[in-house]
């Protein structure tokens, strides 16, 4: 072209374009860049042929290889389902009280139970299983159990619930209301004695007498509780409804009794078993104790 010339400072030919005194140098692209560009074109053509690429009305071109992300996901899900099915079969065959004999299977059960807990239990017990004093949801991380904390007992509680209407096997306990049974001085003395059982206050003789006459039949003379009745232990520092004097007075005068739904029929037995394993693993789980002295005596939880 007529306008082409060689730029003197660089020794490079111009492309012949000039605007306001500015000219463009005819500098060719590096060879490696060109070959890379050509390779991307070849790759793009190969990809369009081999994989789904062109969208249509209700689907996309299938591609020569027949691959799809949905198909790959389905395969991976199938493999995972098969692995879970194998674990579930093993769990179904192992009695829950023997689950701790197989540490690997127990670990898998705990992992499955953790997932089930997030779906079914966090609404009441919280994501960290700490419960709530205000609402009466127990903390599952401590070692205080109304009915027992071994694997079999936890499984039973999950299966039948607490005060679940319509379930003959449900855990049931009822503390009678003592409204009108004590005058204010007697109520204060009784509360002081209950608090003294866990070292929160000094002993109170009048309160001890009232406790022996009205409370010891269920809670024990020393406040040790009674798991066969679901009567809570009073001589530790763990309280379901709070440990303030006001909270104790309210519970004595007008007891608040919670309800936990049963999970049989909602969850399959293996999932309940995994849930029991997870709850047991939170920190307060107890060893299973088998009573064999009398053949008529059935398996029982720890005292």
């Amino acid at each position: 072209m007529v306008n082409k010339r060689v730029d003197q400072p660089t020794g490079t030919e111009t492309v012949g374009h000039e605007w306001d005194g500015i000219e463009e140098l005819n500098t060719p692209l590096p060879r490696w860049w060109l070959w890379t560009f050509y390779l991307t074109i070849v790759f793009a053509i190969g990809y369009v042929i081999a994989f789904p690429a062109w969208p249509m009305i209700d689907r996309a071109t299938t591609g020569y290889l027949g691959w799809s992300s949905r198909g790959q996901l389905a395969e991976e899900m199938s493999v995972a389902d098969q692995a879970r099915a194998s674990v579930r079969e093993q769990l179904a065959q192992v009695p829950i009280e023997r689950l701790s004999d197989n540490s690997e299977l127990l670990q898998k059960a705990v992992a499955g139970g953790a997932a089930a807990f997030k779906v079914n239990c966090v609404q009441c017990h919280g994501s960290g299983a700490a419960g709530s004093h205000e609402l009466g949801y127990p903390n599952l991380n401590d070692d205080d159990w109304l009915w027992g904390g071994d694997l079999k007992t936890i499984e039973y509680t999950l299966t039948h619930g607490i005060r679940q209407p319509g379930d003959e096997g449900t855990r049931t306990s009822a503390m009678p209301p003592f409204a009108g049974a004590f005058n204010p001085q007697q109520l204060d003395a009784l509360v002081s004695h209950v608090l003294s059982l866990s070292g929160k206050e000094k002993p109170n003789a009048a309160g001890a007498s009232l406790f022996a006459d009205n409370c010891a039949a269920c809670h024990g003379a020393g406040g040790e509780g009674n798991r066969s009745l679901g009567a809570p232990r009073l001589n530790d520092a763990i309280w379901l409804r709070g440990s303030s004097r006001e909270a104790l007075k309210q519970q004595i005068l007008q007891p608040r009794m919670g309800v936990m739904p049963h999970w049989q029929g909602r969850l399959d037995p293996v999932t309940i078993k995994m849930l029991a394993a997870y709850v047991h693993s939170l920190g307060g789980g107890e060893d299973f104790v088998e009573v064999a002295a009398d053949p008529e005596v059935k398996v029982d939880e720890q005292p």
Side-chain angles (χ1 to χ4, degrees):
M1 294 180 65
V2 178
N3 293 332
K4 286 187 178 181
R5 69 179 189 83
V6 175
D7 180 62
Q8 294 300 323
T10 62
T12 304
E13 187 182 54
T14 66
V15 296
H17 303 151
E18 183 268 336
W19 181 82
D20 199 19
I22 301 174
E23 296 180 286
E24 182 181 355
L25 301 180
N26 186 14
T27 305
L29 293 169
R31 289 283 182 176
W32 67 266
W33 194 98
L34 282 174
W35 281 111
T36 301
F37 178 66
Y38 297 148
L39 286 174
T40 59
I41 295 175
V42 173
F43 174 81
I45 295 172
Y47 188 93
V48 169
I49 295 173
F51 295 96
W54 293 100
M56 294 188 286
I57 296 177
D58 58 352
R59 58 189 178 86
T61 55
T62 58
Y64 180 77
L65 298 179
W67 177 92
S68 71
S69 57
R70 290 185 178 182
Q72 182 178 359
L73 175 62
E75 285 184 29
E76 294 174 354
M77 293 292 290
S78 177
V79 172
D81 288 341
Q82 292 175 9
R84 283 195 294 268
S86 175
V87 173
R88 292 179 67 87
E89 288 176 5
Q90 296 179 59
L91 286 170
Q93 296 172 4
V94 176
I96 192 167
E97 62 269 23
R98 302 294 175 227
L99 187 57
S100 57
D101 296 343
N102 187 333
S103 59
E104 182 179 355
L105 186 60
L106 176 61
Q107 184 177 4
K108 293 178 180 178
V110 170
F117 187 90
K118 292 177 182 177
V119 175
N120 300 283
C121 310
V122 298
Q123 295 85 349
C124 294
H125 294 284
S127 58
S132 169
H133 283 312
E134 291 78 12
L135 300 175
Y137 300 140
N139 183 351
L140 302 178
N141 298 292
D142 57 35
D143 57 358
D144 202 30
W145 302 89
L146 284 177
W147 305 96
D150 62 78
L151 282 167
K152 191 173 183 65
T153 305
I154 296 172
E155 180 190 40
Y156 186 93
T157 301
L158 287 168
T159 301
H160 296 285
I162 307 293
R163 305 179 189 90
Q164 170 65 53
D167 191 322
E168 295 181 356
T170 191
R171 306 281 198 190
T172 301
S173 64
M175 176 176 171
F178 286 90
F182 309 119
N183 60 44
Q185 293 76 19
Q186 290 175 320
L187 183 60
D188 282 333
L190 180 58
V191 169
S192 294
H193 175 71
V194 171
L195 290 172
S196 74
L197 295 174
S198 58
K200 293 179 70 68
E201 288 196 12
K202 295 180 180 180
N204 184 292
S209 178
L210 290 169
F211 185 89
D213 293 339
N214 298 277
C215 313
C218 293
H219 294 285
E224 62 274 10
N226 188 332
R227 288 183 173 181
S228 63
L229 300 175
R233 182 179 175 183
L234 304 177
N235 59 5
D236 57 18
I238 301 172
W239 303 84
L240 179 58
R241 295 285 184 174
S243 60
S244 67
R245 296 187 66 87
E246 291 72 19
L248 289 177
K249 287 181 180 180
Q250 181 180 358
Q251 194 64 12
I252 292 171
L253 298 177
Q254 294 292 339
R256 292 163 291 173
M257 313 300 291
V259 175
M260 173 183 162
H262 63 185
W263 292 100
Q264 62 176 348
R266 306 184 188 189
L267 301 177
D268 59 86
V270 172
T271 301
I272 292 176
K273 187 178 290 187
M274 292 191 293
L275 263 175
Y278 173 71
V279 172
H280 185 271
S281 73
L282 290 175
E286 300 170 341
D287 294 332
F288 179 79
V289 175
E290 188 170 2
V291 180
D294 186 339
E296 296 298 323
V297 177
K298 297 181 179 180
V299 172
D300 193 9
E301 67 264 17
Q302 287 187 343

